Amino acid sequence: MKKVKKPVFFLVFAVIAIFAITTLIGVSTQNGDITTTYVHGVKDIRLGIDIQGGVDVTFEPAGDVDATDEQMDAALEKIKTRLVSQGINDSDTYVDYKSDRIIVRFPWQAGETDFDPEQAVKELGETAELTFRYGTETTTNDDGETVPAGEIVLTGDDVKSAGTGATQDDTTKEATWMVTLDLNDSGKEKFYNATSALYQDNGQISIWMDNTMISAPSVNAVISDGKATISGNFTYESAKELADKINAGALPFALETTSFKTISPTMGEGALNAMVIAGLITCAFIIIYMIALYRLLGVVASLCLIGQITGMLAAVSGWFGFMDSNTLTIPGIAGIILSIGMGVDANIITGERIREELRRGKPLDGALQSGYSRAFSAIFDGNLTGIIVSIILMGAFGTPDSWCAKLLHPLFQFFGATTEGVIYSFGYTLLVGLIMNFIMGVFAARLMTMSLSKFKCFQNKKLYGGGLNG
C-alpha cells in the first residue's frame, strides 16, 4: 500500500459518518402531500411477518372459471413474481387445488401505520390480465363497465422481460426514465406487424391491466428486433412499477379477493423494540471491550464496525440505487449478527498480529504494515467460506431468476425450484455483511490506522498494544 497521508483518516471518517446518517434517516423532499425519496433510509425497510405481522389473503378465479391444477400453479408463480418484484421475500404462498384457492401471506409494507389489510392487498398489485392493444378506444359491456375495444397486439406471454432505462438531456442534465421491453420470438413478429401498421400515422399501442389502461405510448419507429421502449412522464419508481407489472405477466385467468385478514407477528408485539435495544446494548459492550483491549486500534475497529452495520442496513433498505430493497426477517437479523461477529473477529485477529509485531521490537509503521498483511490471509479465508455459503443459500432458496439461482442452475436444476424467503434473507444479509467486512474491517480500518500513526500524538506504541501483556 502506498504511503497514507494524515488527512485520510478524516476523509474515511467523514464517508462513514455521511453513510450512516443517510442510511438512518434517508434523503427525501416534501412538496405538499407528495414525498420524493432520493435515498432510502431505515424507515423504508419492510419487516417480516415474524417481526411486524402482515396480511393473509385468499384469491379465487373470477366468474365461473374451473381452473386446472396447471393453471393454478401458473397463477401462483405469477403472484410470487409480483411479491419478489416489490422486494417481498418473506411470504407464504400455497394452492388449495380442491377449492381452487390461492392463499398468500405477506408482511406489511414499510412505515405502515393504518394496518389496513384491504389496502395491503391492493399494494400487492393488481391480479389482472395484461394485454397490448391497437389504439385507445373503449366500449361498454353488458354490465355497464368500460372495457378496451382495440384488437390485441400482444399478451404478457409475448414479453420476455421488461426493465428500466434512462436518457440524459444534454442541456438540463436531467434523466428521462422509460420502460424497456425485450420480446420473445412469438412477440417479435406480432410487434413488427403492429408497429409497421401504426408507424406512418404515429398511432398508439395501449397497455391494459384487465380494463384499466396503464400506458398508451406512441409508435415512433418500426420495431423488428423485438426491443422497444415505453416513454412518458415516468419517474424511476413509476417506470420500475410498470416494468414489474409487465414482468409479472398475464395470469391464466382473472383473480378476485374472497377474504383477507391480519396476521399478528409470530415474535409477539414489541419484539422489534426489544431486539433494537438488545442490539444497541450489545454493540456498546463490544465497542467498550475493543477499546479497552486494543486502545486506538479498538477505536478504529469500532468506527469500522459502525460502517459495516450501516452497509448491511443500507443494502436491505434499498439505499444503493442498483439494489432493490429486501424484507428483513428474524433469520435476516441473525445473518447481520453473524457477520458482525466475524467482523469483530477480523479486528481481533488484526489487533493481535500488530501486538505480536510490536513485541518483537519492530517500529510502529513496520508493525502496522506487517500486522495487517499477516492478518489478511486468515480473514480472507474465513470470509470467503462464508460468502460461498451465502451464495449457495441465496441460489437454493431464492427466486429462479435471481443471479445466484442462475449462477448455480447447473447444480440446483436436479432438485426443482424452491423459494423460502426467510432463508434467502439470512443468506442475503450474511453475504452483504461479509463484503462490508472486507471494505470496512480490512480496507477502511487499515487506511484509518496508518493515517493516525502519522500524527505525533498517536505514535506511542502502547496505544496499539505494544508493551501490554496479552
Side-chain angles (χ1 to χ4, degrees), residues 86 117-126:
Q86 296 185 29
E118 185 174 5
Q119 182 61 36
V121 173
K122 292 180 180 178
E123 186 244 346
L124 172 60
E126 301 94 334

Side-chain angles (χ1 to χ4, degrees), residues 127-347:
T127 53
E129 295 176 287
L130 176 72
T131 56
F132 292 67
R133 295 175 179 267
Y134 284 102
T136 59
E137 292 77 14
T138 60
T139 186
T140 303
N141 62 15
D142 295 337
D143 297 326
E145 297 176 326
T146 301
V147 297
E151 181 184 349
I152 293 178
V153 177
L154 301 171
T155 66
D157 291 335
D158 295 314
V159 179
K160 183 179 181 181
S161 65
T164 59
T167 58
Q168 189 177 54
D169 188 284
D170 294 334
T171 304
T172 63
K173 303 300 182 183
E174 292 185 357
T176 301
W177 289 96
M178 64 187 69
V179 177
T180 61
L181 298 178
D182 186 8
L183 304 179
N184 57 28
D185 292 338
S186 67
K188 286 181 182 179
E189 184 177 355
K190 297 177 185 178
F191 205 55
Y192 170 75
N193 294 333
T195 55
S196 297
L198 296 173
Y199 168 61
Q200 296 296 334
D201 298 327
N202 199 31
Q204 290 177 290
I205 293 180
S206 55
I207 303 174
W208 298 76
M209 281 288 192
D210 272 347
N211 299 329
T212 301
M213 186 171 65
I214 58 177
S215 181
S218 299
V219 178
N220 299 319
V222 177
I223 309 298
S224 59
D225 59 358
K227 297 184 183 298
T229 59
I230 302 174
S231 57
N233 296 320
F234 288 117
T235 62
Y236 168 75
E237 287 77 13
S238 61
K240 183 179 183 301
E241 180 181 359
L242 177 54
D244 289 340
K245 288 179 179 180
I246 295 173
N247 280 327
L251 292 163
F253 40 77
L255 289 175
E256 61 182 6
T257 304
T258 56
S259 68
F260 48 81
K261 60 183 179 181
T262 60
I263 307 172
S264 299
T266 55
M267 292 294 293
E269 299 290 344
L272 177 61
N273 291 334
M275 285 186 291
V276 171
I277 293 173
L280 292 174
I281 293 173
T282 301
C283 286
F285 274 115
I286 290 174
I287 290 172
I288 293 171
Y289 173 80
M290 293 296 292
I291 294 175
L293 188 62
Y294 295 105
R295 309 293 177 88
L296 190 60
L297 292 175
V299 173
V300 172
S302 299
L303 292 174
C304 293
L305 187 62
I306 292 173
Q308 180 182 349
I309 296 172
T310 299
M312 289 183 282
L313 294 176
V316 175
S317 70
W319 188 95
F320 300 102
F322 59 88
M323 298 172 64
D324 293 330
S325 61
N326 274 268
T327 308
L328 184 62
T329 63
I330 294 294
I333 293 176
I336 292 176
I337 294 172
L338 179 57
S339 58
I340 290 174
M342 296 187 70
V344 173
D345 185 55
N347 286 302

Side-chain angles (χ1 to χ4, degrees), residues 7-26:
V8 170
F9 171 81
F10 301 101
L11 291 174
V12 177
F13 177 82
V15 170
I16 293 176
I18 294 172
F19 186 29
I21 292 171
T22 55
T23 297
L24 287 175
I25 64 176

